[in-house]
Amino acid sequence: MIELKDIYKIYGDGEGEIRALDGVSLNISGGEFVAIVGQSGSGKSTCMNIIGCLDVPTSGTYRLNGTDVSTMKDDELAAVRNKMIGFIFQQYNLIPKLTVKENVELPLIYRGMPAKERAKRAMEALEMVGLADRCTKMPSMLSGGQQQRVSIARALAGNPSLLLADEPTGALDSKTGREVLEFLKKLNEQGNTIVMITHDNEIAKEAKRIVRIQDGKIISDEKGRE
Amino acid sequence: MGIKQAFSLALKSLMTSKMRSFLTMLGIIIGVAAVIILVSLVNGFKSDMLTTFEDMGLNLINVNIFARGSNRQVDVEDMYEFAEENSDYIEYISPTVTVQAAPKFGTDTAESTSITGVNEDYVYIQNYELTSGRFLQYMDVQTRQKSCVIGSYLAEEYFDGNPVGQSFKINGSQFDVVGVLEEQADSTEGSADDCIYIPYTLARTLSRMGTVSSYIVYARDKELVDPTITLIKNYLYGIFSSDSAYRVMALAQIVDTVNELMGTLTVILVGIAGISLLVGGIGIMNIMLVSVTERTREIGIRKSIGAKRSAIMSQFVVEAATTSAIGGIIGIVLGIVASIVVCRLMGIGVSISVLSIIVAFGVSAGIGIMFGYFPASKASKLNPIEALRHD
Ligand SMILES: Nc1ncnc2c1ncn2[C@@H]1O[C@H](COP(=O)(O)OP(=O)(O)OP(=O)(O)O)[C@@H](O)[C@H]1O
Ligand SMILES: [Mg+2]
């Protein structure tokens, strides 16, 4: 489903150039749960930005579900993100002045879905994360763990082919972090493809597959728990 | 994203900071209200003025003859004869002879009184009403009777409101008051009520003018004013063989001039109010730019979950337009209320122009779109990665 081939991402040029990604090739199939692990500055976020179609590589090709997205323009990438990718951020990134339900509806709005269907889908997604009863609350009225679950609901609402989580437990205490992690595992068991970025080996171990990255290169690719 | 959603989103974001939204709108509110107030003031003033002229008579034509020193002359009999021949057009004609003199009431001298020599028809020409006595009559004029009709100011000031039968002096000759005109203005010194009408036959002597050089003509109908002017001009040209020897002008032409003047005034005033709208627009742009910066992260979130440029763009443009349009509506309400109050206070008719309301609203919404465009386009071009990192 994800095919990265010889991906380079180079910032700056000449002497001062930084190879944030230095020839990365990686294939991820549907239904996998992959953790991308590495130290700070190793290129994890850069990698995730490219997988998430927020950015395009300097060179190399990236096929997502068979389509080459590495040369797409802004608006085309936006459409791909909207349909195929659900983001789960470290900082939840909910919009504070919208209610929980409106936040979850947001990707569907940009898809142009009619209001009725949108509301139904959003409620379904909120039920999955067990927060349907909070749908009219503002995000600021929820705990960190709950907010992260709302952001998972938002990612799920659009029924994407890929869930992309960037340090999803980074802002949570270890207990709540666990819960979120367990939830991601459950989603994976239900058939969702998940790519999780983390610097924490303990968390990475929970994934089915662990990809280690250092200085923009993949240094190992191994199986995790099973 | 539909326009309806963009609109409700915009309202929501305006409601979250009411004070700021209000201050942002203030420029637009003031601008729109000013346009409406100024236009209705000028309109009210104009229509009042026109009614005044209408009262004075749009049928009136002034004729002035400058043929001094020329060996050709037109005397009153010639003009009467001409009017008689053209009675299909001309209903009344009266000479108007201005006398430069200060009348003496006992020991008091009135300095600002206007003394005019006219004939018996003048009362119909000007549509005057009398509060007591009668106007000058044919016999007064023909027999050079020293009778006169005076305005309400003089009647009040010098005769305690009861002047008929009493007398005063002009240049030493004694005149008897035969009638008092109804109040025209406010019965003050120098106003239209500070006047004396005497037979033109006497006025000619008093002013030491051999011939009468100005007339007032009353056309049978407003529609006949223009052909009548042509008739009079042709007649006078036939006598003087020069068109600089006379001037024939309708009062209606003065109305046109006033209209033109008011038009210019409106443009200037509305232009000034327009500057306020422009300033309001810049205020909106400023706040929208601040808002884009403040909401960089929100924009990043929206973009990351799939908002296209156009969606972000329309969100911010609609927000700016909504701010401005709401300001416009408040301004319209304020403008209407203030127009009514100001017009009442100034004692002129209230006439609020619907056009000015429509234009003011359109312009304010347009300004929102125009000045919202730049901040919105800036927002739509933000890089989602950088925007997400923003705090
Ligand atoms: N916009 C940019 N301009 C220049 N250099 C950049 C940019 N973004 C990232 N880099 C550089 O690329 C390298 C990889 O950065 P990246 O953000 O991917 O690291 P990371 O693994 O996510 O680190 P962390 O765990 O601290 O988030 C770093 O050296 C970083 O300085
Ligand atoms: Mg990072």
Side-chain angles (χ1 to χ4, degrees), chain B residues 23-68:
Chain B
L23 291 176
T24 310
M25 288 171 193
L26 205 55
I28 299 287
I29 294 177
I30 293 173
V32 167
V35 168
I36 292 172
I37 294 169
L38 291 174
V39 170
S40 51
L41 262 181
V42 171
N43 272 352
F45 194 55
K46 192 164 98 180
S47 71
D48 267 27
M49 200 110 128
L50 289 183
T51 349
T52 311
F53 278 116
E54 204 106 22
D55 286 348
M56 280 168 65
L58 292 173
N59 297 31
L60 298 187
I61 299 163
N62 275 308
V63 180
N64 289 292
I65 297 164
F66 318 113
R68 244 170 258 159

mmCIF file of all heavy atoms in Angstrom, chain B residues 23-68:
data_model
loop_
_atom_site.group_PDB
_atom_site.id
_atom_site.type_symbol
_atom_site.label_atom_id
_atom_site.label_comp_id
_atom_site.label_asym_id
_atom_site.label_seq_id
_atom_site.Cartn_x
_atom_site.Cartn_y
_atom_site.Cartn_z
ATOM 1 N N LEU B 23 -15.195 46.583 17.332
ATOM 2 C CA LEU B 23 -14.242 47.650 17.010
ATOM 3 C C LEU B 23 -13.804 47.561 15.556
ATOM 4 O O LEU B 23 -13.606 48.579 14.893
ATOM 5 C CB LEU B 23 -13.032 47.569 17.951
ATOM 6 C CG LEU B 23 -13.352 47.943 19.398
ATOM 7 C CD1 LEU B 23 -12.140 47.736 20.283
ATOM 8 C CD2 LEU B 23 -13.835 49.380 19.502
ATOM 9 N N THR B 24 -13.674 46.322 15.076
ATOM 10 C CA THR B 24 -13.301 46.156 13.676
ATOM 11 C C THR B 24 -14.373 46.732 12.764
ATOM 12 O O THR B 24 -14.082 47.355 11.745
ATOM 13 C CB THR B 24 -13.122 44.659 13.367
ATOM 14 O OG1 THR B 24 -12.287 44.097 14.345
ATOM 15 C CG2 THR B 24 -12.521 44.460 11.992
ATOM 16 N N MET B 25 -15.621 46.507 13.185
ATOM 17 C CA MET B 25 -16.741 46.963 12.347
ATOM 18 C C MET B 25 -16.932 48.467 12.406
ATOM 19 O O MET B 25 -17.588 49.041 11.537
ATOM 20 C CB MET B 25 -18.040 46.332 12.846
ATOM 21 C CG MET B 25 -18.177 44.882 12.556
ATOM 22 S SD MET B 25 -19.637 44.319 13.451
ATOM 23 C CE MET B 25 -19.400 42.567 13.320
ATOM 24 N N LEU B 26 -16.395 49.098 13.442
ATOM 25 C CA LEU B 26 -16.739 50.484 13.719
ATOM 26 C C LEU B 26 -16.543 51.395 12.506
ATOM 27 O O LEU B 26 -17.397 52.222 12.197
ATOM 28 C CB LEU B 26 -15.921 50.989 14.912
ATOM 29 C CG LEU B 26 -16.542 52.142 15.679
ATOM 30 C CD1 LEU B 26 -17.943 51.777 16.136
ATOM 31 C CD2 LEU B 26 -15.688 52.502 16.881
ATOM 32 N N GLY B 27 -15.414 51.221 11.832
ATOM 33 C CA GLY B 27 -15.138 52.046 10.663
ATOM 34 C C GLY B 27 -16.232 51.908 9.615
ATOM 35 O O GLY B 27 -16.695 52.888 9.038
ATOM 36 N N ILE B 28 -16.640 50.660 9.386
ATOM 37 C CA ILE B 28 -17.696 50.402 8.403
ATOM 38 C C ILE B 28 -19.017 50.994 8.899
ATOM 39 O O ILE B 28 -19.754 51.628 8.139
ATOM 40 C CB ILE B 28 -17.857 48.882 8.179
ATOM 41 C CG1 ILE B 28 -16.560 48.286 7.639
ATOM 42 C CG2 ILE B 28 -19.028 48.584 7.261
ATOM 43 C CD1 ILE B 28 -16.248 48.617 6.216
ATOM 44 N N ILE B 29 -19.290 50.788 10.191
ATOM 45 C CA ILE B 29 -20.543 51.310 10.757
ATOM 46 C C ILE B 29 -20.623 52.812 10.536
ATOM 47 O O ILE B 29 -21.604 53.340 10.017
ATOM 48 C CB ILE B 29 -20.632 50.991 12.269
ATOM 49 C CG1 ILE B 29 -20.729 49.481 12.481
ATOM 50 C CG2 ILE B 29 -21.831 51.699 12.905
ATOM 51 C CD1 ILE B 29 -20.745 49.048 13.934
ATOM 52 N N ILE B 30 -19.551 53.505 10.909
ATOM 53 C CA ILE B 30 -19.545 54.963 10.784
ATOM 54 C C ILE B 30 -19.664 55.373 9.319
ATOM 55 O O ILE B 30 -20.445 56.256 8.966
ATOM 56 C CB ILE B 30 -18.268 55.550 11.431
ATOM 57 C CG1 ILE B 30 -18.309 55.323 12.934
ATOM 58 C CG2 ILE B 30 -18.133 57.034 11.108
ATOM 59 C CD1 ILE B 30 -17.034 55.703 13.658
ATOM 60 N N GLY B 31 -18.904 54.709 8.468
ATOM 61 C CA GLY B 31 -18.928 55.054 7.053
ATOM 62 C C GLY B 31 -20.317 54.904 6.447
ATOM 63 O O GLY B 31 -20.824 55.803 5.780
ATOM 64 N N VAL B 32 -20.926 53.746 6.699
ATOM 65 C CA VAL B 32 -22.238 53.480 6.118
ATOM 66 C C VAL B 32 -23.279 54.446 6.682
ATOM 67 O O VAL B 32 -24.066 55.040 5.937
ATOM 68 C CB VAL B 32 -22.651 52.010 6.381
ATOM 69 C CG1 VAL B 32 -24.118 51.795 6.078
ATOM 70 C CG2 VAL B 32 -21.806 51.081 5.538
ATOM 71 N N ALA B 33 -23.242 54.630 8.005
ATOM 72 C CA ALA B 33 -24.209 55.543 8.622
ATOM 73 C C ALA B 33 -24.028 56.946 8.044
ATOM 74 O O ALA B 33 -25.011 57.625 7.723
ATOM 75 C CB ALA B 33 -24.037 55.558 10.137
ATOM 76 N N ALA B 34 -22.773 57.362 7.885
ATOM 77 C CA ALA B 34 -22.513 58.706 7.365
ATOM 78 C C ALA B 34 -23.072 58.861 5.957
ATOM 79 O O ALA B 34 -23.701 59.873 5.637
ATOM 80 C CB ALA B 34 -21.013 58.999 7.379
ATOM 81 N N VAL B 35 -22.865 57.845 5.123
ATOM 82 C CA VAL B 35 -23.386 57.933 3.755
ATOM 83 C C VAL B 35 -24.901 58.118 3.789
ATOM 84 O O VAL B 35 -25.456 59.003 3.133
ATOM 85 C CB VAL B 35 -23.029 56.656 2.941
ATOM 86 C CG1 VAL B 35 -23.804 56.618 1.639
ATOM 87 C CG2 VAL B 35 -21.536 56.616 2.668
ATOM 88 N N ILE B 36 -25.563 57.298 4.591
ATOM 89 C CA ILE B 36 -27.033 57.350 4.617
ATOM 90 C C ILE B 36 -27.524 58.685 5.175
ATOM 91 O O ILE B 36 -28.418 59.314 4.612
ATOM 92 C CB ILE B 36 -27.593 56.161 5.413
ATOM 93 C CG1 ILE B 36 -27.310 54.884 4.624
ATOM 94 C CG2 ILE B 36 -29.078 56.321 5.673
ATOM 95 C CD1 ILE B 36 -27.619 53.622 5.354
ATOM 96 N N ILE B 37 -26.897 59.130 6.265
ATOM 97 C CA ILE B 37 -27.328 60.402 6.865
ATOM 98 C C ILE B 37 -27.126 61.545 5.874
ATOM 99 O O ILE B 37 -28.026 62.351 5.639
ATOM 100 C CB ILE B 37 -26.549 60.691 8.166
ATOM 101 C CG1 ILE B 37 -26.896 59.652 9.224
ATOM 102 C CG2 ILE B 37 -26.870 62.085 8.685
ATOM 103 C CD1 ILE B 37 -25.994 59.690 10.437
ATOM 104 N N LEU B 38 -25.927 61.598 5.265
ATOM 105 C CA LEU B 38 -25.632 62.714 4.366
ATOM 106 C C LEU B 38 -26.561 62.721 3.171
ATOM 107 O O LEU B 38 -27.107 63.761 2.794
ATOM 108 C CB LEU B 38 -24.172 62.647 3.913
ATOM 109 C CG LEU B 38 -23.166 62.934 5.030
ATOM 110 C CD1 LEU B 38 -21.750 62.706 4.559
ATOM 111 C CD2 LEU B 38 -23.336 64.354 5.530
ATOM 112 N N VAL B 39 -26.760 61.533 2.588
ATOM 113 C CA VAL B 39 -27.621 61.490 1.412
ATOM 114 C C VAL B 39 -29.044 61.903 1.777
ATOM 115 O O VAL B 39 -29.674 62.683 1.065
ATOM 116 C CB VAL B 39 -27.595 60.086 0.762
ATOM 117 C CG1 VAL B 39 -28.673 59.968 -0.300
ATOM 118 C CG2 VAL B 39 -26.229 59.820 0.154
ATOM 119 N N SER B 40 -29.539 61.420 2.931
ATOM 120 C CA SER B 40 -30.923 61.786 3.231
ATOM 121 C C SER B 40 -31.035 63.250 3.638
ATOM 122 O O SER B 40 -32.040 63.894 3.352
ATOM 123 C CB SER B 40 -31.550 60.858 4.278
ATOM 124 O OG SER B 40 -30.733 60.762 5.390
ATOM 125 N N LEU B 41 -29.986 63.784 4.269
ATOM 126 C CA LEU B 41 -29.995 65.222 4.585
ATOM 127 C C LEU B 41 -30.052 66.056 3.312
ATOM 128 O O LEU B 41 -30.887 66.951 3.176
ATOM 129 C CB LEU B 41 -28.734 65.602 5.363
ATOM 130 C CG LEU B 41 -28.869 65.697 6.868
ATOM 131 C CD1 LEU B 41 -27.551 66.110 7.486
ATOM 132 C CD2 LEU B 41 -29.951 66.708 7.224
ATOM 133 N N VAL B 42 -29.162 65.753 2.398
ATOM 134 C CA VAL B 42 -29.122 66.520 1.157
ATOM 135 C C VAL B 42 -30.435 66.366 0.401
ATOM 136 O O VAL B 42 -31.001 67.338 -0.097
ATOM 137 C CB VAL B 42 -27.926 66.080 0.283
ATOM 138 C CG1 VAL B 42 -28.012 66.716 -1.088
ATOM 139 C CG2 VAL B 42 -26.616 66.456 0.950
ATOM 140 N N ASN B 43 -30.940 65.127 0.363
ATOM 141 C CA ASN B 43 -32.212 64.881 -0.316
ATOM 142 C C ASN B 43 -33.344 65.676 0.312
ATOM 143 O O ASN B 43 -34.140 66.306 -0.387
ATOM 144 C CB ASN B 43 -32.576 63.398 -0.250
ATOM 145 C CG ASN B 43 -31.970 62.648 -1.399
ATOM 146 O OD1 ASN B 43 -31.416 63.253 -2.321
ATOM 147 N ND2 ASN B 43 -32.058 61.340 -1.357
ATOM 148 N N GLY B 44 -33.409 65.625 1.637
ATOM 149 C CA GLY B 44 -34.470 66.320 2.347
ATOM 150 C C GLY B 44 -34.394 67.813 2.096
ATOM 151 O O GLY B 44 -35.389 68.470 1.804
ATOM 152 N N PHE B 45 -33.160 68.314 2.166
ATOM 153 C CA PHE B 45 -32.914 69.729 1.949
ATOM 154 C C PHE B 45 -33.335 70.131 0.545
ATOM 155 O O PHE B 45 -33.994 71.137 0.330
ATOM 156 C CB PHE B 45 -31.424 69.977 2.166
ATOM 157 C CG PHE B 45 -31.070 71.419 2.300
ATOM 158 C CD1 PHE B 45 -31.693 72.205 3.256
ATOM 159 C CD2 PHE B 45 -30.112 71.989 1.485
ATOM 160 C CE1 PHE B 45 -31.367 73.537 3.391
ATOM 161 C CE2 PHE B 45 -29.786 73.314 1.606
ATOM 162 C CZ PHE B 45 -30.414 74.087 2.564
ATOM 163 N N LYS B 46 -32.958 69.281 -0.392
ATOM 164 C CA LYS B 46 -33.244 69.555 -1.784
ATOM 165 C C LYS B 46 -34.745 69.583 -2.040
ATOM 166 O O LYS B 46 -35.259 70.505 -2.670
ATOM 167 C CB LYS B 46 -32.585 68.478 -2.650
ATOM 168 C CG LYS B 46 -32.558 68.806 -4.121
ATOM 169 C CD LYS B 46 -31.571 67.909 -4.843
ATOM 170 C CE LYS B 46 -32.288 66.749 -5.496
ATOM 171 N NZ LYS B 46 -31.342 65.869 -6.214
ATOM 172 N N SER B 47 -35.444 68.571 -1.509
ATOM 173 C CA SER B 47 -36.869 68.518 -1.821
ATOM 174 C C SER B 47 -37.609 69.657 -1.120
ATOM 175 O O SER B 47 -38.579 70.194 -1.649
ATOM 176 C CB SER B 47 -37.467 67.147 -1.480
ATOM 177 O OG SER B 47 -37.521 66.994 -0.095
ATOM 178 N N ASP B 48 -37.102 70.052 0.064
ATOM 179 C CA ASP B 48 -37.678 71.218 0.734
ATOM 180 C C ASP B 48 -37.514 72.464 -0.118
ATOM 181 O O ASP B 48 -38.427 73.264 -0.288
ATOM 182 C CB ASP B 48 -36.973 71.465 2.068
ATOM 183 C CG ASP B 48 -37.704 70.787 3.200
ATOM 184 O OD1 ASP B 48 -38.382 69.779 2.920
ATOM 185 O OD2 ASP B 48 -37.600 71.260 4.340
ATOM 186 N N MET B 49 -36.302 72.599 -0.648
ATOM 187 C CA MET B 49 -35.967 73.754 -1.463
ATOM 188 C C MET B 49 -36.856 73.780 -2.697
ATOM 189 O O MET B 49 -37.376 74.825 -3.093
ATOM 190 C CB MET B 49 -34.516 73.600 -1.893
ATOM 191 C CG MET B 49 -33.908 74.867 -2.304
ATOM 192 S SD MET B 49 -32.709 75.302 -1.073
ATOM 193 C CE MET B 49 -31.333 75.563 -2.146
ATOM 194 N N LEU B 50 -37.034 72.607 -3.293
ATOM 195 C CA LEU B 50 -37.846 72.531 -4.504
ATOM 196 C C LEU B 50 -39.298 72.901 -4.212
ATOM 197 O O LEU B 50 -39.927 73.597 -4.998
ATOM 198 C CB LEU B 50 -37.770 71.128 -5.110
ATOM 199 C CG LEU B 50 -36.424 70.799 -5.743
ATOM 200 C CD1 LEU B 50 -36.456 69.434 -6.390
ATOM 201 C CD2 LEU B 50 -36.025 71.857 -6.771
ATOM 202 N N THR B 51 -39.791 72.438 -3.051
ATOM 203 C CA THR B 51 -41.171 72.804 -2.703
ATOM 204 C C THR B 51 -41.271 74.303 -2.543
ATOM 205 O O THR B 51 -42.263 74.918 -2.952
ATOM 206 C CB THR B 51 -41.618 72.154 -1.380
ATOM 207 O OG1 THR B 51 -40.656 71.194 -1.003
ATOM 208 C CG2 THR B 51 -42.970 71.536 -1.497
ATOM 209 N N THR B 52 -40.247 74.907 -1.943
ATOM 210 C CA THR B 52 -40.246 76.355 -1.784
ATOM 211 C C THR B 52 -40.342 77.035 -3.143
ATOM 212 O O THR B 52 -41.156 77.931 -3.358
ATOM 213 C CB THR B 52 -38.961 76.815 -1.072
ATOM 214 O OG1 THR B 52 -38.780 76.013 0.077
ATOM 215 C CG2 THR B 52 -39.043 78.273 -0.691
ATOM 216 N N PHE B 53 -39.517 76.553 -4.060
ATOM 217 C CA PHE B 53 -39.554 77.139 -5.403
ATOM 218 C C PHE B 53 -40.889 76.885 -6.068
ATOM 219 O O PHE B 53 -41.433 77.728 -6.757
ATOM 220 C CB PHE B 53 -38.434 76.568 -6.263
ATOM 221 C CG PHE B 53 -37.125 77.265 -6.022
ATOM 222 C CD1 PHE B 53 -36.043 76.586 -5.501
ATOM 223 C CD2 PHE B 53 -36.987 78.617 -6.323
ATOM 224 C CE1 PHE B 53 -34.854 77.223 -5.280
ATOM 225 C CE2 PHE B 53 -35.784 79.258 -6.096
ATOM 226 C CZ PHE B 53 -34.715 78.560 -5.574
ATOM 227 N N GLU B 54 -41.397 75.691 -5.815
ATOM 228 C CA GLU B 54 -42.684 75.314 -6.377
ATOM 229 C C GLU B 54 -43.747 76.297 -5.885
ATOM 230 O O GLU B 54 -44.570 76.774 -6.647
ATOM 231 C CB GLU B 54 -43.023 73.895 -5.935
ATOM 232 C CG GLU B 54 -43.970 73.163 -6.829
ATOM 233 C CD GLU B 54 -43.246 72.102 -7.661
ATOM 234 O OE1 GLU B 54 -42.157 71.666 -7.246
ATOM 235 O OE2 GLU B 54 -43.762 71.750 -8.708
ATOM 236 N N ASP B 55 -43.672 76.605 -4.562
ATOM 237 C CA ASP B 55 -44.589 77.578 -3.984
ATOM 238 C C ASP B 55 -44.422 78.925 -4.651
ATOM 239 O O ASP B 55 -45.379 79.639 -4.924
ATOM 240 C CB ASP B 55 -44.325 77.744 -2.476
ATOM 241 C CG ASP B 55 -44.840 76.543 -1.699
ATOM 242 O OD1 ASP B 55 -45.573 75.741 -2.304
ATOM 243 O OD2 ASP B 55 -44.489 76.422 -0.517
ATOM 244 N N MET B 56 -43.162 79.282 -4.859
ATOM 245 C CA MET B 56 -42.891 80.585 -5.462
ATOM 246 C C MET B 56 -43.384 80.603 -6.896
ATOM 247 O O MET B 56 -43.611 81.652 -7.475
ATOM 248 C CB MET B 56 -41.396 80.868 -5.442
ATOM 249 C CG MET B 56 -40.929 81.365 -4.091
ATOM 250 S SD MET B 56 -39.148 81.370 -4.000
ATOM 251 C CE MET B 56 -38.772 82.591 -5.235
ATOM 252 N N GLY B 57 -43.517 79.458 -7.452
ATOM 253 C CA GLY B 57 -44.074 79.401 -8.782
ATOM 254 C C GLY B 57 -43.040 79.046 -9.817
ATOM 255 O O GLY B 57 -42.080 79.789 -10.046
ATOM 256 N N LEU B 58 -43.265 77.908 -10.406
ATOM 257 C CA LEU B 58 -42.367 77.503 -11.483
ATOM 258 C C LEU B 58 -42.834 78.106 -12.800
ATOM 259 O O LEU B 58 -42.229 77.917 -13.827
ATOM 260 C CB LEU B 58 -42.334 75.979 -11.578
ATOM 261 C CG LEU B 58 -41.674 75.316 -10.380
ATOM 262 C CD1 LEU B 58 -41.817 73.809 -10.444
ATOM 263 C CD2 LEU B 58 -40.203 75.708 -10.299
ATOM 264 N N ASN B 59 -43.942 78.861 -12.713
ATOM 265 C CA ASN B 59 -44.469 79.486 -13.925
ATOM 266 C C ASN B 59 -43.836 80.846 -14.195
ATOM 267 O O ASN B 59 -44.131 81.483 -15.184
ATOM 268 C CB ASN B 59 -45.978 79.727 -13.772
ATOM 269 C CG ASN B 59 -46.744 78.441 -13.616
ATOM 270 O OD1 ASN B 59 -46.213 77.485 -13.062
ATOM 271 N ND2 ASN B 59 -47.967 78.408 -14.101
ATOM 272 N N LEU B 60 -42.967 81.251 -13.245
ATOM 273 C CA LEU B 60 -42.483 82.632 -13.326
ATOM 274 C C LEU B 60 -41.310 82.792 -14.278
ATOM 275 O O LEU B 60 -40.443 81.939 -14.365
ATOM 276 C CB LEU B 60 -42.065 83.108 -11.935
ATOM 277 C CG LEU B 60 -43.172 83.136 -10.889
ATOM 278 C CD1 LEU B 60 -42.665 83.781 -9.611
ATOM 279 C CD2 LEU B 60 -44.377 83.884 -11.414
ATOM 280 N N ILE B 61 -41.335 83.912 -14.979
ATOM 281 C CA ILE B 61 -40.238 84.241 -15.884
ATOM 282 C C ILE B 61 -39.819 85.681 -15.594
ATOM 283 O O ILE B 61 -40.657 86.579 -15.498
ATOM 284 C CB ILE B 61 -40.689 84.142 -17.361
ATOM 285 C CG1 ILE B 61 -41.149 82.717 -17.678
ATOM 286 C CG2 ILE B 61 -39.576 84.592 -18.306
ATOM 287 C CD1 ILE B 61 -41.966 82.625 -18.948
ATOM 288 N N ASN B 62 -38.519 85.866 -15.413
ATOM 289 C CA ASN B 62 -38.001 87.219 -15.202
ATOM 290 C C ASN B 62 -37.503 87.786 -16.510
ATOM 291 O O ASN B 62 -36.795 87.118 -17.254
ATOM 292 C CB ASN B 62 -36.821 87.176 -14.221
ATOM 293 C CG ASN B 62 -37.307 87.222 -12.799
ATOM 294 O OD1 ASN B 62 -38.088 88.105 -12.439
ATOM 295 N ND2 ASN B 62 -36.862 86.271 -11.996
ATOM 296 N N VAL B 63 -37.853 89.032 -16.767
ATOM 297 C CA VAL B 63 -37.378 89.696 -17.981
ATOM 298 C C VAL B 63 -36.614 90.945 -17.558
ATOM 299 O O VAL B 63 -37.134 91.765 -16.800
ATOM 300 C CB VAL B 63 -38.558 90.095 -18.898
ATOM 301 C CG1 VAL B 63 -38.043 90.776 -20.157
ATOM 302 C CG2 VAL B 63 -39.403 88.880 -19.240
ATOM 303 N N ASN B 64 -35.376 91.058 -18.004
ATOM 304 C CA ASN B 64 -34.582 92.257 -17.723
ATOM 305 C C ASN B 64 -34.146 92.872 -19.031
ATOM 306 O O ASN B 64 -33.696 92.179 -19.940
ATOM 307 C CB ASN B 64 -33.328 91.900 -16.915
ATOM 308 C CG ASN B 64 -33.694 91.525 -15.492
ATOM 309 O OD1 ASN B 64 -34.127 92.369 -14.713
ATOM 310 N ND2 ASN B 64 -33.560 90.248 -15.180
ATOM 311 N N ILE B 65 -34.276 94.173 -19.089
ATOM 312 C CA ILE B 65 -33.887 94.878 -20.318
ATOM 313 C C ILE B 65 -32.763 95.848 -19.975
ATOM 314 O O ILE B 65 -32.860 96.611 -19.017
ATOM 315 C CB ILE B 65 -35.105 95.619 -20.915
ATOM 316 C CG1 ILE B 65 -36.168 94.578 -21.312
ATOM 317 C CG2 ILE B 65 -34.700 96.471 -22.101
ATOM 318 C CD1 ILE B 65 -37.541 95.151 -21.541
ATOM 319 N N PHE B 66 -31.666 95.751 -20.745
ATOM 320 C CA PHE B 66 -30.498 96.605 -20.439
ATOM 321 C C PHE B 66 -30.291 97.685 -21.490
ATOM 322 O O PHE B 66 -29.215 98.235 -21.591
ATOM 323 C CB PHE B 66 -29.207 95.785 -20.386
ATOM 324 C CG PHE B 66 -29.367 94.476 -19.680
ATOM 325 C CD1 PHE B 66 -29.260 93.273 -20.361
ATOM 326 C CD2 PHE B 66 -29.605 94.452 -18.316
ATOM 327 C CE1 PHE B 66 -29.393 92.076 -19.713
ATOM 328 C CE2 PHE B 66 -29.736 93.246 -17.664
ATOM 329 C CZ PHE B 66 -29.637 92.060 -18.351
ATOM 330 N N ALA B 67 -31.289 97.918 -22.307
ATOM 331 C CA ALA B 67 -31.063 98.746 -23.484
ATOM 332 C C ALA B 67 -30.937 100.219 -23.165
ATOM 333 O O ALA B 67 -31.568 101.060 -23.783
ATOM 334 C CB ALA B 67 -32.189 98.528 -24.492
ATOM 335 N N ARG B 68 -30.083 100.524 -22.193
ATOM 336 C CA ARG B 68 -29.915 101.934 -21.862
ATOM 337 C C ARG B 68 -29.069 102.616 -22.932
ATOM 338 O O ARG B 68 -28.117 102.033 -23.439
ATOM 339 C CB ARG B 68 -29.245 102.090 -20.496
ATOM 340 C CG ARG B 68 -30.187 102.775 -19.507
ATOM 341 C CD ARG B 68 -29.635 102.708 -18.124
ATOM 342 N NE ARG B 68 -30.304 101.672 -17.356
ATOM 343 C CZ ARG B 68 -29.779 101.122 -16.269
ATOM 344 N NH1 ARG B 68 -28.586 101.462 -15.849
ATOM 345 N NH2 ARG B 68 -30.442 100.219 -15.610
#
